[in-house]
Amino acid sequence: MTAFLRWLRDLVHRFTDKLDLPLLLALLALMTVSLVVLSSASDGNSRLVLSQGLRFGVGLVALVLVSRIPPSKLRLWAPLAYAGSLLLLSLVFVFGSGRSANLWLNLGVFYLQPGELLKLSVPMMLAWYLHSVVLPPRWGTLTVCAGIIGLPVGMVILQPDLGTGMLVLASGVFAVFLAGMAWWRIGLFAGLGLLALPVGWHFLMPYQRDRILTFLDPESDPLGAGWNIIQSKIAIGSGGLTGKGWGQGSQSHLDFLPEHTTDFVFSVLAEEWGWAGVVAVLALYLFVIGRSLWMAAQARDGYSRLLAGSLALAFSVYVIVNGGMVAGLLPVVGVPMPLLSFGGTSAVTLLAGFGVVMSVYAHRKFMG
Amino acid sequence: MRLSRRPRIKNLRAEAAQFRRRAAVAGALVALAVLGLGAGYFRLQVLQHEEYQLRSEANRIKPRPIVPARGLIYDRNGRLLADNVPAYRLELVPEQVGDLEATLEGLADLVALDEEDITRFHETRRATRAFRPIPLKLRLTEAELSRLAVNRHRFPGVEVVPYLIRRYPYGELFSHIIGYVGRVDAEDLQAMGDSRDSARTHIGKAGLERYYEERLRGEIGYEEVETNVEGRALGVLRRHGAKAGADLHLSVDARLQQAMVDAFAGQHGAAVAVDPRTGEILAMVSLPGYDPNPFVTGISHRQWQALQGPARPLFNRIVLGGFPPGSTIKPFMALAGLELGLRTPEDTTYSTGEFFLPGQSRGYRDWRRGGHGRVDLRESLAQSVNSYYFELAVEMGVDRMDAWFDQFGFGHPTGIDLVGEISGVRPSREWKRRRFNQPWYPGDTVNAAIGQGYWITTPLQLAQATAVLANNGVRHRLHLVTASQAGFDQPRLPEPQPPGVRVVKDPAHLLPVIEGMVAVVHGPTGTARVIGEGAQYRIAAKTGTVQRTSRQGEESIDPNTLPYHLRHQAWTIAFAPAGEPTIAVAVLVEHGGSGSRAAAPVVRRILDAWLLPPAEETPP
C-alpha cells in the first residue's frame, strides 16, 4: 500500500516538477472565475459549464505535457510545426466549413481551427530563426521575419478571420520586438502601417467595415453591432462598484446582452461583480503576463526567451482587445477574453502556450 | 549580414540583456494598457454608474425588425402574377432555448419536421448569432398551429410568427419569367453581413424576382417593443417605418402566355412574342416549365430530382438555349443585299440544286433536289432557296455580314431584365480565330449565309431581330417591366427605356423583304402556306430547320423517322398583321422536324390568340 502511494507520489511529482506554482495558481484562479461567471451567464445551463470545464481539463493536460518537452526539442520541431500548420491552413481553403467564414477543419472526431495552431507555431518559427542570426535584427533579418509572419497572417485574413489574423500578427511582431529591433526601425514600420490603413480598409469584408463604422458611431446601427456595444456598456456601467451580484445581471439574463457566454462574457462579470471584480480579474491577468515575462527572461538561450516572451505578450493582446471592445473603447473584433470566454480551441492553445513558458523556465539551468 | 562593415558576432550576454530591457519595456506598456482598461471601466462603472443604472432599469425596450411586404407583380392587364399570402412559421431563438435537442424532439411530435428542416436549421444556426431567431418550419398548417398553441408553454424560446409568403397563382405558366424567391441560405447571409437585412427569410433566386430583388424587397424597418421583466413583449412604442417593396407591372399578357403554352401542345421548345413598336415582351415561354411555388418554402429532395430529367424544365431556353437560326436568317440576308446595294429586288439567281465555290468540288445544296430554277428576292424567301443566299454571301463577304448582323443584336445579350442571358455566336473572322485559332474559309461564309455552321442565337435574339423587320427598321430594347409603383399610395412610374435605334437606313428596302415573307405564308409556293389557310389577317413569316445530321450523298432523310434526339430544331419567325404589325414572334420547337411543319402551326395559334377577339377567359 505504502509502495503504491510512493509510486503515485513519484508519478505526480514526475509530471508536476516542471510546473511553476504561482503561474499555475493564477491560471487556475482565472479558470474558476470563468466557470462561475459562465454558470450565471448561461442561466444555469450545466452542460455549457461542464463542457467548458472539460476544455480546461484538456488544456491543463496539454500544459503539463508541453511543460515536459525541453525547449531544445521545441526548437528542433519549430520549422516542422510551422510548415504543418501552414499546410492545415491551406487545407481549410479546400475542405473548410464553418459559420460565416471558413475557419474549421473537420477531423471526423472534432473540428480543428488551424488559425489557432499558428498562434504557437509562428512565434516558434520566428524564435527559431532569430536564434540562428546575430541580434539585434537588421533589414535582411527583418525581411525574412516579415515573410514568416506575413504568409500565414495573409492566409488567415483571407479566410476571413480578422481577429485571429491580428493575434498571430501580434505574436510575431512581439518576437521581433523582443529580439531588439531598433526603435527607429519600429517607428518607420509604424509610420508605413499608418499609411497603409486606407488600403487595408479596401480589403475588409463588409461586416468588418460595419463593425469599425459602428464603433465610431454605435447609434447608427441600433439593430446590429451598435446594439451590442450599447447593451454591453449598459451592462458594465450598471454594475457599479460592487456589482449586482452573481446571477443578478439583468442585462444578460433578459437577453439584452448578446453573445454573453463568449465574446461578451467580461461584460457579465463587470455587471454582476462590479468594478471590484473587474480590477481583481485584471490584476490576475497582469500577474500572469508579468510572471510569464519574468520567467522568459530567466532562460539562458535566445530561442526559449523569445518564444516564451512573445507568447506572454500575445496573451496580453487578448485581454486588452476584448476588455476594450466590450467597454466600447475598441472596435468589435472577434477576440475572446482569454480563459474566461466559452470556447474550445483557444483555451487549449493558450494553456499549451503556458506549458511552453513553464518548460522554458524549468529547463533554464540546462541550456547553454 | 553585411560584411562591408565590421562583421557582427553573436553576443549572447548582450542579447540576454537586450531581451531583459525589451521585456521590461513591454511589461510596462502592458501594465499601462491594463491600467487604462481599469480606468475605462472605472469611468463606466463608478463615474457614469448612475446614468447606466437608470438606462439598465429603463432597459425594457428592444428593437424588433419589421420586414416589409415584397412588391407584387402584375401582368399588362393587372392580373396578379406574384402575390403575398399570410402564413405562420415556427422560429427558435437558440440562446433562449435550454436544451436544443430535447426541444427539437419535442417539437417534432407537434409539427411535421423532416430531416431537411433540421439540417437547414442547424446550418443557419451556425451562421447566425445566438440571440437571433431562426426559422425551423415555414407554412405551418392549421392543425400544427392549434397543437402549438396548446403546448407553447413547454418550449421557451420557440415562437409562432406570422409572416407573408410568396405565392405564384399561375404556377408553371410564368416560371421562366418571374422565377422564384427561396429561403436565405448561409451564402446570402454572409453577403448581407450583420446589417438589418439578416431579418429577411427569403430572397429572389431566379428570373425577375432575382433581377429586381433590390426593388422588390423594400427596406427593413424596426419597431421598439416594450418588454416586461421576463423579456416578454408588452407593446410597441414606436415604429421606424419599413419601406414596402415596389410593385412591378409587366408587359406580358397572361392570356397570351397561356395560349402560347397551349399552342405547343405538349412539345418542348421556346417562344417569344414582342410588341415590335416598343420592345415590350407580350409573352414568352420555355417549355417544359416548372412550378415555382415549392421553391418558396424549400423544395424537397424528391421534387428537385424530378426536375433534373433530360427535358430540363429548369433550363430557361429563352435566354440560355442557343441554336443556329437556320433559314430564319434569310430575310436579314436579303435585306443586307438591298441595303448594301448588291441586289435589287428584281435581280435573280438560277438555282440548279447545287452551288459550287470556284475551284472547289464540294457542292452546297438547295433543299429541293434539282433546284428551284430562276428566283428573285421574293421567291427566294417564299421557297427558301439556298443558292440565292450562297451567291449573295460570297459577294458580300463575311466582314460586311458580321457588321450587318451586329446591328440586329446577334452575338450580344439583348439586355432584357433577366439574369444570365448568353451572347450566342455571330460568326466572324475574329471570332473564329479567338475560338478555334483558325482562319476563315469561304465555305464558312456559305454556311453562315443560311444560318448554319457556327451561328448560335437564342429565341430572344431572333425575336428582337424579327421585331426590327416589323418596326420599320428600328430596334427597341426588349423588356418585361413597363412600370413600377413604390407602394399603393405612390404614383405608378413608367420604366424608362432607351430610345429606339434605326438599323435599316432606307425603310423602303423592307417592302420587298416583307412581301417575300408574306409569300412564305400566303404565296402559292410558300414553305408555310399551310398556316395561311383561313387567316383573317396577313402574316409575314420565315421558317427554318436546323439539321442535327447532315445529308449524306443523294439520299434525303425524312425527319420524322430520325431518333428523337437527332431530330431537327424547328424555327419560325413571324409578324402580323403584315401591313401594320402589332406582334412579332419567334418560335423554336425542339426536335420538331421541319420549321414549316412543326413551328409554323404554333406561330399561327399564337398570332390568332393575340389578333382575334378573345374567347371566354377562365381564371386560374
Side-chain angles (χ1 to χ4, degrees):
Chain A
M1 194 63 199
T2 45
F4 173 73
L5 281 177
R6 190 177 308 127
W7 174 81
L8 200 66
R9 197 192 61 203
D10 286 350
L11 192 74
V12 169
H13 185 253
R14 261 188 59 197
F15 276 96
T16 53
D17 62 343
K18 301 288 188 282
L19 300 179
D20 178 63
L21 201 59
L23 183 54
L24 186 65
L25 286 177
L27 292 175
L28 285 172
L30 280 172
M31 287 184 250
T32 314
V33 170
S34 168
L35 294 178
V36 175
V37 175
L38 280 179
S39 69
S40 164
S42 67
D43 269 327
N45 183 350
S46 54
R47 268 188 18 176
L48 187 137
V49 179
L50 217 64
S51 89
Q52 179 78 345
L54 197 72
R55 287 184 171 124
F56 286 150
V58 174
L60 283 171
V61 169
L63 184 150
V64 170
L65 290 181
V66 172
S67 73
R68 303 194 53 73
I69 306 172
S72 53
K73 282 243 175 70
L74 282 176
R75 193 173 84 206
L76 234 54
W77 297 343
L80 205 65
Y82 180 74
S85 49
L86 275 187
L87 186 73
L88 284 173
L89 188 65
S90 44
L91 285 182
V92 171
F93 278 96
V94 189
F95 305 111
S97 57
R99 42 180 288 183
S100 79
N102 290 329
L103 313 175
W104 304 83
L105 202 57
N106 190 346
L107 292 186
V109 192
F110 63 100
Y111 283 88
L112 181 77
Q113 203 179 343
E116 285 294 330
L117 295 180
L118 288 170
K119 292 174 187 169
L120 286 178
S121 61
V122 167
M124 273 172 89
M125 184 67 196
L126 279 170
W128 176 86
Y129 171 68
L130 290 167
H131 177 77
S132 67
V133 298
V134 179
L135 296 179
R138 291 187 182 170
W139 290 126
T141 309
L142 287 174
T143 310
V144 177
C145 290
I148 294 174
I149 304 169
L151 185 63
V153 168
M155 285 166 77
V156 171
I157 288 180
L158 280 180
Q159 279 188 336
D161 183 359
L162 196 60
T164 305
M166 215 185 61
L167 288 167
V168 173
L169 176 70
S171 63
V173 169
F174 288 136
V176 180
F177 171 79
L178 290 171
M181 179 178 176
W183 286 109
W184 65 270
R185 290 193 170 103
I186 295 174
L188 201 66
F189 262 95
L192 284 176
L194 277 179
L195 285 179
L197 274 185
V199 183
W201 176 260
H202 184 73
F203 285 104
L204 289 179
M205 297 292 287
Y207 78 92
Q208 290 165 336
R209 291 188 195 176
D210 276 355
R211 283 182 178 178
I212 293 170
L213 289 177
T214 17
F215 160 67
L216 297 172
D217 180 17
E219 311 283 341
S220 71
D221 185 13
L223 277 180
W227 162 259
N228 301 354
I229 294 174
I230 294 165
Q231 294 303 328
S232 176
K233 282 174 84 168
I234 294 177
I236 294 167
S238 64
L241 197 59
T242 53
K244 298 177 181 172
W246 183 82
Q248 302 301 311
S250 56
Q251 281 293 107
S252 44
H253 290 282
L254 292 184
D255 297 318
F256 284 103
L257 191 60
E259 311 257 349
H260 52 236
T261 58
T262 53
D263 284 359
F264 285 88
V265 76
F266 199 62
S267 316
V268 179
L269 182 135
E271 183 181 21
E272 301 195 341
W273 299 16
W275 192 63
V278 168
V279 169
V281 171
L282 286 182
L284 268 176
Y285 278 127
L286 204 51
F287 174 79
V288 167
I289 297 160
R291 174 90 187 159
S292 301
L293 274 179
W294 178 81
M295 284 162 75
Q298 305 311 307
R300 297 291 161 88
D301 72 306
Y303 174 78
S304 307
R305 266 198 305 265
L306 290 175
L307 177 56
S310 49
L311 288 177
L313 288 178
F315 183 81
S316 73
V317 173
Y318 281 89
V319 179
I320 293 159
V321 169
N322 182 281
M325 156 187 114
V326 301
L329 305 168
L330 292 174
V332 176
V333 184
V335 174
M337 196 52 135
L339 300 179
L340 227 58
S341 289
F342 177 75
T345 335
S346 95
V348 177
T349 6
L350 285 168
L351 287 171
F354 286 111
V356 172
V357 175
M358 291 188 189
S359 156
V360 163
Y361 184 61
H363 294 89
R364 65 191 183 279
K365 300 193 181 69
F366 315 116
M367 299 288 292
Chain B
M1 300 323 101
R2 277 191 257 169
L3 295 175
S4 54
R5 290 196 204 158
R6 206 148 45 99
R8 297 205 299 163
I9 298 162
K10 226 171 155 54
N11 182 340
L12 296 179
R13 198 173 291 274
E15 280 183 15
Q18 168 83 293
F19 180 89
R20 277 196 291 277
R21 279 199 303 277
R22 283 293 167 97
V25 171
L29 286 176
V30 170
L32 208 64
V34 173
L35 277 179
L37 266 189
Y41 278 81
F42 184 80
R43 193 170 66 107
L44 280 177
Q45 299 195 277
V46 181
L47 301 182
Q48 301 174 347
H49 169 61
E50 305 224 329
E51 177 197 334
Y52 283 112
Q53 177 75 34
L54 283 174
R55 284 182 75 174
S56 160
E57 279 163 14
N59 204 356
R60 290 172 295 130
I61 299 155
K62 280 188 189 184
R64 194 165 64 185
I66 311 168
V67 181
R70 198 173 170 85
L72 304 175
I73 302 178
Y74 299 95
D75 89 337
R76 72 185 294 125
N77 295 313
R79 296 185 192 87
L80 201 49
L81 307 183
D83 189 8
N84 299 315
V85 292
Y88 291 89
R89 65 167 181 258
L90 190 62
E91 284 188 351
L92 265 72
V93 183
E95 213 177 57
Q96 292 169 12
V97 175
D99 186 340
L100 195 60
E101 286 306 316
T103 304
L104 288 178
E105 264 171 49
L107 286 172
D109 295 338
L110 307 175
V111 179
L113 289 178
D114 55 30
E115 219 160 282
E116 285 181 46
D117 291 321
I118 306 272
T119 319
R120 200 193 328 251
F121 171 78
H122 284 300
E123 267 169 25
T124 319
R125 186 170 61 91
R126 275 196 287 276
T128 331
R129 293 164 159 237
F131 61 91
R132 288 243 163 84
I134 297 164
L136 175 62
K137 168 99 184 167
L138 303 179
R139 290 193 93 154
L140 297 169
T141 63
E142 290 291 328
E144 287 172 336
L145 279 173
S146 56
R147 279 199 296 270
L148 280 168
V150 176
N151 291 284
R152 175 135 168 251
H153 63 276
R154 282 168 50 204
F155 302 106
V158 174
E159 297 233 28
V160 173
V161 182
Y163 71 113
L164 290 171
I165 195 166
R166 200 63 155 172
R167 195 177 58 114
Y168 304 105
Y170 286 86
E172 266 193 48
L173 192 54
F174 289 95
S175 50
H176 285 295
I177 295 178
I178 293 178
Y180 54 86
V181 297
R183 288 177 66 172
V184 168
D185 57 32
E187 225 170 275
D188 301 323
L189 270 180
Q190 197 185 341
M192 290 190 284
D194 198 21
S195 63
R196 300 173 187 191
D197 282 335
S198 52
R200 299 180 190 283
T201 54
H202 287 80
I203 190 169
K205 299 270 186 184
L208 290 173
E209 292 275 28
R210 178 159 160 212
Y211 190 89
Y212 287 105
E213 167 66 20
E214 297 277 321
R215 285 165 67 180
L216 283 167
R217 72 180 179 195
E219 264 173 44
I220 283 197
Y222 63 97
E223 54 192 7
E224 294 178 4
V225 181
E226 191 180 18
T227 57
N228 67 7
V229 190
E230 276 91 42
R232 288 233 176 277
L234 294 177
V236 176
L237 293 181
R238 240 187 314 166
R239 282 171 195 275
H240 301 260
K243 234 171 87 188
D247 296 343
L248 300 181
H249 296 268
L250 308 189
S251 53
V252 296
D253 180 55
R255 197 180 54 80
L256 183 63
Q257 183 84 1
Q258 184 62 56
M260 211 177 233
V261 171
D262 297 342
F264 272 82
Q267 301 179 90
H268 295 172
V272 180
V274 182
D275 186 333
R277 298 164 296 182
T278 55
E280 289 175 3
I281 301 284
L282 300 174
M284 60 183 201
V285 297
S286 169
L287 296 168
Y290 60 92
D291 184 1
N293 286 305
F295 285 89
V296 179
T297 35
I299 192 165
S300 76
H301 188 67
R302 208 161 44 85
Q303 284 170 309
W304 176 257
Q305 280 302 317
L307 292 174
Q308 302 303 308
R312 304 178 72 192
L314 293 176
F315 181 69
N316 189 343
R317 291 155 167 84
I318 304 164
V319 292
L320 299 171
F323 298 100
S327 297
T328 57
I329 210 75
K330 284 176 184 164
F332 306 98
M333 280 295 295
L335 186 59
L338 300 175
E339 280 269 296
L340 295 171
L342 299 171
R343 289 284 185 278
T344 67
E346 290 72 30
D347 288 345
T348 58
T349 294
Y350 192 77
S351 154
T352 60
E354 214 161 5
F355 171 83
F356 291 95
L357 281 167
Q360 286 192 15
S361 58
R362 192 200 146 173
Y364 296 85
R365 291 194 178 90
D366 281 312
W367 62 267
R368 180 186 291 164
R369 233 186 307 167
H372 303 264
R374 186 158 294 280
V375 293
D376 63 2
L377 188 152
R378 292 173 185 86
E379 210 48 39
S380 78
L381 283 170
Q383 298 185 37
S384 199
V385 180
N386 290 351
S387 293
Y388 183 93
Y389 297 94
F390 292 151
E391 209 178 270
L392 175 61
V394 170
E395 276 178 58
M396 200 183 297
V398 62
D399 297 326
R400 282 197 279 183
M401 275 170 67
D402 180 40
W404 172 253
F405 284 109
D406 184 24
Q407 299 180 70
F408 280 83
F410 291 105
H412 305 285
T414 62
I416 196 171
D417 28 5
L418 289 175
V419 181
E421 206 189 346
I422 62 166
S423 303
V425 175
R426 189 183 71 245
S428 68
R429 281 180 213 280
E430 194 215 333
W431 174 84
K432 195 180 176 192
R433 194 171 304 116
R434 241 185 314 130
R435 177 71 177 76
F436 295 111
N437 197 23
Q438 280 175 6
W440 186 264
Y441 299 115
D444 294 332
T445 310
V446 175
N447 276 325
I450 57 164
Q452 309 275 3
Y454 301 117
W455 271 104
I456 298 285
T457 61
T458 64
L460 203 59
Q461 285 173 332
L462 214 45
Q464 173 180 247
T466 306
V468 176
L469 296 182
N471 191 41
N472 227 6
V474 175
R475 178 158 70 107
H476 288 289
R477 188 174 74 183
L478 301 187
H479 56 276
L480 287 160
V481 173
T482 50
S484 67
Q485 196 172 5
F488 64 92
D489 53 348
Q490 296 292 313
R492 182 168 156 173
L493 299 172
E495 200 72 4
Q497 295 296 336
V501 180
R502 173 152 291 283
V503 172
V504 182
K505 298 284 167 295
D506 183 356
H509 288 144
L510 282 162
L511 289 174
V513 173
I514 294 174
E515 278 171 32
M517 289 176 76
V518 170
V520 168
V521 179
H522 301 285
T525 53
T527 54
R529 57 186 182 275
V530 277
I531 70 165
E533 283 170 28
Q536 297 173 27
Y537 48 87
R538 286 174 77 74
I539 304 169
K542 184 70 196 80
T543 59
T545 309
V546 183
Q547 296 160 346
R548 281 291 172 96
T549 52
S550 58
R551 261 192 288 170
Q552 298 291 321
E554 290 299 304
E555 260 176 287
S556 73
I557 297 170
D558 178 3
N560 293 320
T561 62
L562 278 171
Y564 193 65
H565 70 281
L566 289 178
R567 288 197 197 173
H568 301 166
Q569 313 280 351
W571 284 106
T572 295
I573 58 171
F575 51 88
E580 207 173 320
T582 55
I583 180 171
V585 295
V587 167
L588 168 73
V589 179
E590 271 176 27
H591 314 312
S594 73
S596 49
R597 271 194 240 175
V602 176
V603 166
R604 170 70 192 273
R605 289 193 280 269
I606 295 170
L607 294 178
D608 276 353
W610 188 244
L611 295 170
L612 301 183
E616 285 292 297
E617 190 183 343
T618 43

